[in-house]
Amino acid sequence: MRVTNEMQFAGLLRHTQRTLANMTKVQDQVASGVRLQRPSDGPADMVRVLKNRQDDARLSVHLATIRDVNIAIDASATALTDAKNVLTRAKDIALQAANTATSDPTADEALAQEIDAALTTLLQVANRKLSDGRSLFAGTASQTTPFVVSATDSKGRPTQIDYQGSHESSQVLVGPGQTFDALIPGDLFQLPNAS
């Protein structure tokens, strides 16, 4: 077969068009900063890119969960510190009452009012919520107010407080196969049951 000038020109034209198409593709990649414009640009590379995107999405979810857990832990630590301070104050009031045992009803009433105020504050601490409305100390029943006054005396002072939350911690997934207790039960505010 004889190669004519026309065949050589057609081959040169095809080669020039392929080179121009490749140059256009490279220019698009440089301009966009993206090497893989479509799956056909590199099927094996595209598989890796898609897997990396899935991993990135999963890690982003875990990171957001860890941030939420950190907020809950900080809020719980603050609440427990506040509870400790309230209980320390109540202990001081009780010691003061024991050391100054008088028959002065006014002084006794003042100390009783201080204890009532401490109890009210402790109840508020035990019922503390996160900004999204979840209770810190209700365990898995985080939409419930954990502690409620169920009985009062004739002056309206609490005589019984019941726990309405769950006795199980609310666990969240913070990594592959790793869970963390984010919201804990309010059992720590109660005296252990005498059996």
Side-chain angles (χ1 to χ4, degrees):
M1 169 168 167
R2 181 173 171 247
V3 178
T4 64
N5 286 343
E6 201 171 283
M7 290 172 65
Q8 285 179 337
F9 182 73
L12 181 60
L13 185 59
R14 277 193 307 274
H15 178 69
T16 304
Q17 287 173 337
R18 269 195 309 266
T19 302
L20 183 60
N22 286 338
M23 283 179 47
T24 302
K25 180 178 169 183
V26 169
Q27 285 177 336
D28 288 346
Q29 290 174 353
V30 169
S32 68
V34 177
R35 184 174 73 82
L36 301 173
Q37 300 284 335
R38 56 192 84 48
S40 61
D41 291 344
D45 292 336
M46 187 57 82
V47 169
R48 282 194 295 275
V49 166
L50 293 174
K51 183 185 178 318
N52 288 343
R53 285 182 184 166
Q54 288 174 340
D55 290 345
D56 184 49
R58 187 173 41 253
L59 291 173
S60 293
V61 168
H62 290 314
L63 182 60
T65 302
I66 290 168
R67 285 184 184 134
D68 288 346
V69 168
N70 194 37
I71 290 169
I73 290 170
D74 288 346
S76 295
T78 299
L80 292 173
T81 299
D82 292 348
K84 177 186 165 267
N85 293 339
V86 170
L87 292 172
T88 300
R89 178 65 186 135
K91 177 185 170 188
D92 291 345
I93 295 167
L95 288 173
Q96 179 183 353
N99 290 334
T100 60
T102 66
S103 58
D104 181 9
T106 306
D108 291 343
E109 181 60 29
L111 291 173
Q113 286 178 0
E114 284 190 66
I115 291 291
D116 287 341
L119 179 62
T120 298
T121 302
L122 187 59
L123 186 61
Q124 291 168 348
V125 169
N127 285 333
R128 200 165 284 171
K129 297 178 182 286
L130 291 168
S131 61
D132 63 5
R134 292 180 297 155
S135 294
L136 285 174
F137 303 109
T140 57
S142 62
Q143 298 303 317
T144 304
T145 299
F147 294 95
V148 293
V149 175
S150 57
T152 58
D153 66 9
S154 61
K155 294 184 178 182
R157 295 182 292 213
T159 57
Q160 182 173 336
I161 297 174
D162 291 331
Y163 180 62
Q164 304 294 314
S166 168
H167 295 285
E168 295 179 15
S169 296
S170 173
Q171 294 189 338
V172 293
L173 187 65
V174 294
Q178 297 176 327
T179 58
F180 192 85
D181 293 342
L183 302 173
I184 58 176
D187 297 345
L188 57 105
F189 288 100
Q190 298 177 300
L191 293 173
N193 288 336
S195 300

mmCIF file of all heavy atoms in Angstrom, residues 116 119-124 127 145-153 156-164:
data_model
loop_
_atom_site.group_PDB
_atom_site.id
_atom_site.type_symbol
_atom_site.label_atom_id
_atom_site.label_comp_id
_atom_site.label_asym_id
_atom_site.label_seq_id
_atom_site.Cartn_x
_atom_site.Cartn_y
_atom_site.Cartn_z
ATOM 1 N N ASP A 116 -32.742 24.895 102.828
ATOM 2 C CA ASP A 116 -33.729 24.830 101.744
ATOM 3 C C ASP A 116 -33.181 25.484 100.474
ATOM 4 O O ASP A 116 -33.368 24.958 99.371
ATOM 5 C CB ASP A 116 -35.037 25.520 102.157
ATOM 6 C CG ASP A 116 -35.829 24.717 103.176
ATOM 7 O OD1 ASP A 116 -35.574 23.495 103.299
ATOM 8 O OD2 ASP A 116 -36.704 25.318 103.845
ATOM 9 N N LEU A 119 -30.716 23.143 98.947
ATOM 10 C CA LEU A 119 -31.410 22.036 98.290
ATOM 11 C C LEU A 119 -31.984 22.476 96.948
ATOM 12 O O LEU A 119 -31.869 21.761 95.949
ATOM 13 C CB LEU A 119 -32.524 21.495 99.195
ATOM 14 C CG LEU A 119 -33.352 20.351 98.629
ATOM 15 C CD1 LEU A 119 -32.471 19.136 98.358
ATOM 16 C CD2 LEU A 119 -34.478 19.989 99.566
ATOM 17 N N THR A 120 -32.561 23.671 96.899
ATOM 18 C CA THR A 120 -33.111 24.207 95.651
ATOM 19 C C THR A 120 -31.994 24.382 94.623
ATOM 20 O O THR A 120 -32.147 24.015 93.449
ATOM 21 C CB THR A 120 -33.827 25.549 95.905
ATOM 22 O OG1 THR A 120 -34.911 25.324 96.807
ATOM 23 C CG2 THR A 120 -34.357 26.154 94.614
ATOM 24 N N THR A 121 -30.865 24.914 95.058
ATOM 25 C CA THR A 121 -29.725 25.096 94.149
ATOM 26 C C THR A 121 -29.208 23.750 93.656
ATOM 27 O O THR A 121 -28.916 23.580 92.469
ATOM 28 C CB THR A 121 -28.603 25.880 94.847
ATOM 29 O OG1 THR A 121 -29.121 27.150 95.282
ATOM 30 C CG2 THR A 121 -27.420 26.107 93.930
ATOM 31 N N LEU A 122 -29.115 22.773 94.562
ATOM 32 C CA LEU A 122 -28.643 21.445 94.172
ATOM 33 C C LEU A 122 -29.604 20.804 93.163
ATOM 34 O O LEU A 122 -29.164 20.160 92.202
ATOM 35 C CB LEU A 122 -28.483 20.559 95.405
ATOM 36 C CG LEU A 122 -27.845 19.196 95.152
ATOM 37 C CD1 LEU A 122 -26.451 19.340 94.555
ATOM 38 C CD2 LEU A 122 -27.789 18.395 96.447
ATOM 39 N N LEU A 123 -30.891 21.001 93.352
ATOM 40 C CA LEU A 123 -31.886 20.479 92.412
ATOM 41 C C LEU A 123 -31.704 21.123 91.031
ATOM 42 O O LEU A 123 -31.774 20.445 90.003
ATOM 43 C CB LEU A 123 -33.297 20.730 92.951
ATOM 44 C CG LEU A 123 -34.459 20.136 92.172
ATOM 45 C CD1 LEU A 123 -34.354 18.620 92.122
ATOM 46 C CD2 LEU A 123 -35.782 20.553 92.795
ATOM 47 N N GLN A 124 -31.437 22.424 91.013
ATOM 48 C CA GLN A 124 -31.196 23.111 89.734
ATOM 49 C C GLN A 124 -29.936 22.580 89.056
ATOM 50 O O GLN A 124 -29.916 22.383 87.839
ATOM 51 C CB GLN A 124 -31.077 24.620 89.956
ATOM 52 C CG GLN A 124 -32.367 25.279 90.350
ATOM 53 C CD GLN A 124 -32.174 26.709 90.835
ATOM 54 O OE1 GLN A 124 -31.057 27.156 91.093
ATOM 55 N NE2 GLN A 124 -33.277 27.433 90.965
ATOM 56 N N ASN A 127 -30.535 19.176 87.560
ATOM 57 C CA ASN A 127 -31.415 19.249 86.390
ATOM 58 C C ASN A 127 -30.831 20.099 85.258
ATOM 59 O O ASN A 127 -31.537 20.443 84.311
ATOM 60 C CB ASN A 127 -32.785 19.801 86.786
ATOM 61 C CG ASN A 127 -33.617 18.788 87.532
ATOM 62 O OD1 ASN A 127 -33.449 17.585 87.355
ATOM 63 N ND2 ASN A 127 -34.510 19.259 88.383
ATOM 64 N N THR A 145 -36.645 15.811 82.450
ATOM 65 C CA THR A 145 -36.078 16.502 83.606
ATOM 66 C C THR A 145 -35.806 15.418 84.641
ATOM 67 O O THR A 145 -36.737 14.742 85.095
ATOM 68 C CB THR A 145 -37.061 17.545 84.160
ATOM 69 O OG1 THR A 145 -37.309 18.512 83.135
ATOM 70 C CG2 THR A 145 -36.504 18.227 85.391
ATOM 71 N N PRO A 146 -34.533 15.216 85.007
ATOM 72 C CA PRO A 146 -34.209 14.046 85.817
ATOM 73 C C PRO A 146 -34.809 14.046 87.224
ATOM 74 O O PRO A 146 -35.285 13.017 87.685
ATOM 75 C CB PRO A 146 -32.686 14.038 85.874
ATOM 76 C CG PRO A 146 -32.216 15.290 85.266
ATOM 77 C CD PRO A 146 -33.352 15.942 84.587
ATOM 78 N N PHE A 147 -34.797 15.165 87.925
ATOM 79 C CA PHE A 147 -35.250 15.193 89.318
ATOM 80 C C PHE A 147 -36.453 16.110 89.454
ATOM 81 O O PHE A 147 -36.440 17.248 89.007
ATOM 82 C CB PHE A 147 -34.112 15.669 90.233
ATOM 83 C CG PHE A 147 -32.963 14.712 90.292
ATOM 84 C CD1 PHE A 147 -31.865 14.877 89.463
ATOM 85 C CD2 PHE A 147 -32.981 13.634 91.162
ATOM 86 C CE1 PHE A 147 -30.803 13.981 89.499
ATOM 87 C CE2 PHE A 147 -31.928 12.737 91.211
ATOM 88 C CZ PHE A 147 -30.837 12.911 90.372
ATOM 89 N N VAL A 148 -37.507 15.572 90.084
ATOM 90 C CA VAL A 148 -38.721 16.359 90.313
ATOM 91 C C VAL A 148 -39.125 16.244 91.771
ATOM 92 O O VAL A 148 -38.951 15.207 92.404
ATOM 93 C CB VAL A 148 -39.887 15.899 89.404
ATOM 94 C CG1 VAL A 148 -39.591 16.189 87.954
ATOM 95 C CG2 VAL A 148 -40.194 14.440 89.600
ATOM 96 N N VAL A 149 -39.650 17.344 92.295
ATOM 97 C CA VAL A 149 -40.173 17.347 93.670
ATOM 98 C C VAL A 149 -41.517 16.642 93.625
ATOM 99 O O VAL A 149 -42.434 17.067 92.918
ATOM 100 C CB VAL A 149 -40.308 18.789 94.205
ATOM 101 C CG1 VAL A 149 -40.949 18.792 95.577
ATOM 102 C CG2 VAL A 149 -38.955 19.484 94.227
ATOM 103 N N SER A 150 -41.635 15.551 94.372
ATOM 104 C CA SER A 150 -42.878 14.770 94.334
ATOM 105 C C SER A 150 -43.720 14.953 95.591
ATOM 106 O O SER A 150 -44.881 14.552 95.611
ATOM 107 C CB SER A 150 -42.567 13.292 94.113
ATOM 108 O OG SER A 150 -41.701 12.814 95.110
ATOM 109 N N ALA A 151 -43.145 15.544 96.625
ATOM 110 C CA ALA A 151 -43.926 15.795 97.847
ATOM 111 C C ALA A 151 -43.325 16.998 98.569
ATOM 112 O O ALA A 151 -42.111 17.215 98.550
ATOM 113 C CB ALA A 151 -43.899 14.570 98.757
ATOM 114 N N THR A 152 -44.207 17.783 99.182
ATOM 115 C CA THR A 152 -43.772 18.963 99.946
ATOM 116 C C THR A 152 -44.479 18.976 101.298
ATOM 117 O O THR A 152 -45.497 18.305 101.495
ATOM 118 C CB THR A 152 -44.118 20.265 99.197
ATOM 119 O OG1 THR A 152 -45.521 20.311 98.959
ATOM 120 C CG2 THR A 152 -43.368 20.370 97.876
ATOM 121 N N ASP A 153 -43.908 19.770 102.213
ATOM 122 C CA ASP A 153 -44.554 19.915 103.523
ATOM 123 C C ASP A 153 -45.580 21.042 103.454
ATOM 124 O O ASP A 153 -45.819 21.604 102.385
ATOM 125 C CB ASP A 153 -43.510 20.125 104.631
ATOM 126 C CG ASP A 153 -42.749 21.434 104.504
ATOM 127 O OD1 ASP A 153 -43.126 22.293 103.667
ATOM 128 O OD2 ASP A 153 -41.766 21.610 105.238
ATOM 129 N N GLY A 156 -44.529 24.179 101.742
ATOM 130 C CA GLY A 156 -44.120 24.092 100.347
ATOM 131 C C GLY A 156 -42.672 23.657 100.146
ATOM 132 O O GLY A 156 -42.160 23.704 99.030
ATOM 133 N N ARG A 157 -42.022 23.236 101.229
ATOM 134 C CA ARG A 157 -40.635 22.783 101.122
ATOM 135 C C ARG A 157 -40.613 21.323 100.683
ATOM 136 O O ARG A 157 -41.456 20.530 101.121
ATOM 137 C CB ARG A 157 -39.914 22.946 102.457
ATOM 138 C CG ARG A 157 -39.783 24.404 102.880
ATOM 139 C CD ARG A 157 -39.029 24.530 104.157
ATOM 140 N NE ARG A 157 -39.825 23.971 105.251
ATOM 141 C CZ ARG A 157 -39.820 24.417 106.497
ATOM 142 N NH1 ARG A 157 -39.026 25.409 106.839
ATOM 143 N NH2 ARG A 157 -40.564 23.855 107.412
ATOM 144 N N PRO A 158 -39.658 20.954 99.817
ATOM 145 C CA PRO A 158 -39.591 19.569 99.334
ATOM 146 C C PRO A 158 -39.339 18.579 100.470
ATOM 147 O O PRO A 158 -38.494 18.803 101.318
ATOM 148 C CB PRO A 158 -38.401 19.577 98.374
ATOM 149 C CG PRO A 158 -38.107 20.992 98.082
ATOM 150 C CD PRO A 158 -38.617 21.789 99.232
ATOM 151 N N THR A 159 -40.116 17.508 100.458
ATOM 152 C CA THR A 159 -39.869 16.419 101.400
ATOM 153 C C THR A 159 -39.476 15.139 100.647
ATOM 154 O O THR A 159 -38.957 14.209 101.249
ATOM 155 C CB THR A 159 -41.116 16.118 102.261
ATOM 156 O OG1 THR A 159 -42.212 15.810 101.399
ATOM 157 C CG2 THR A 159 -41.450 17.300 103.152
ATOM 158 N N GLN A 160 -39.737 15.127 99.342
ATOM 159 C CA GLN A 160 -39.343 13.979 98.538
ATOM 160 C C GLN A 160 -39.029 14.444 97.117
ATOM 161 O O GLN A 160 -39.768 15.215 96.524
ATOM 162 C CB GLN A 160 -40.451 12.927 98.502
ATOM 163 C CG GLN A 160 -40.053 11.699 97.711
ATOM 164 C CD GLN A 160 -41.080 10.586 97.810
ATOM 165 O OE1 GLN A 160 -41.851 10.528 98.767
ATOM 166 N NE2 GLN A 160 -41.084 9.709 96.829
ATOM 167 N N ILE A 161 -37.916 13.950 96.597
ATOM 168 C CA ILE A 161 -37.507 14.235 95.217
ATOM 169 C C ILE A 161 -37.305 12.893 94.532
ATOM 170 O O ILE A 161 -36.613 12.025 95.045
ATOM 171 C CB ILE A 161 -36.217 15.080 95.195
ATOM 172 C CG1 ILE A 161 -36.475 16.439 95.847
ATOM 173 C CG2 ILE A 161 -35.707 15.241 93.767
ATOM 174 C CD1 ILE A 161 -35.245 17.298 96.018
ATOM 175 N N ASP A 162 -37.943 12.727 93.372
ATOM 176 C CA ASP A 162 -37.845 11.470 92.629
ATOM 177 C C ASP A 162 -36.990 11.650 91.385
ATOM 178 O O ASP A 162 -37.003 12.705 90.744
ATOM 179 C CB ASP A 162 -39.239 10.975 92.213
ATOM 180 C CG ASP A 162 -40.073 10.519 93.400
ATOM 181 O OD1 ASP A 162 -39.497 10.063 94.409
ATOM 182 O OD2 ASP A 162 -41.323 10.627 93.315
ATOM 183 N N TYR A 163 -36.295 10.575 91.043
ATOM 184 C CA TYR A 163 -35.471 10.556 89.841
ATOM 185 C C TYR A 163 -36.295 10.003 88.685
ATOM 186 O O TYR A 163 -36.822 8.902 88.754
ATOM 187 C CB TYR A 163 -34.216 9.700 90.069
ATOM 188 C CG TYR A 163 -33.299 9.626 88.873
ATOM 189 C CD1 TYR A 163 -32.702 10.778 88.363
ATOM 190 C CD2 TYR A 163 -33.043 8.419 88.245
ATOM 191 C CE1 TYR A 163 -31.863 10.717 87.263
ATOM 192 C CE2 TYR A 163 -32.204 8.348 87.152
ATOM 193 C CZ TYR A 163 -31.615 9.499 86.663
ATOM 194 O OH TYR A 163 -30.780 9.440 85.573
ATOM 195 N N GLN A 164 -36.400 10.776 87.609
ATOM 196 C CA GLN A 164 -37.202 10.393 86.437
ATOM 197 C C GLN A 164 -36.342 9.957 85.254
ATOM 198 O O GLN A 164 -36.880 9.519 84.247
ATOM 199 C CB GLN A 164 -38.055 11.590 85.984
ATOM 200 C CG GLN A 164 -38.945 12.160 87.057
ATOM 201 C CD GLN A 164 -40.029 11.191 87.475
ATOM 202 O OE1 GLN A 164 -40.681 10.593 86.638
ATOM 203 N NE2 GLN A 164 -40.217 11.033 88.764
#
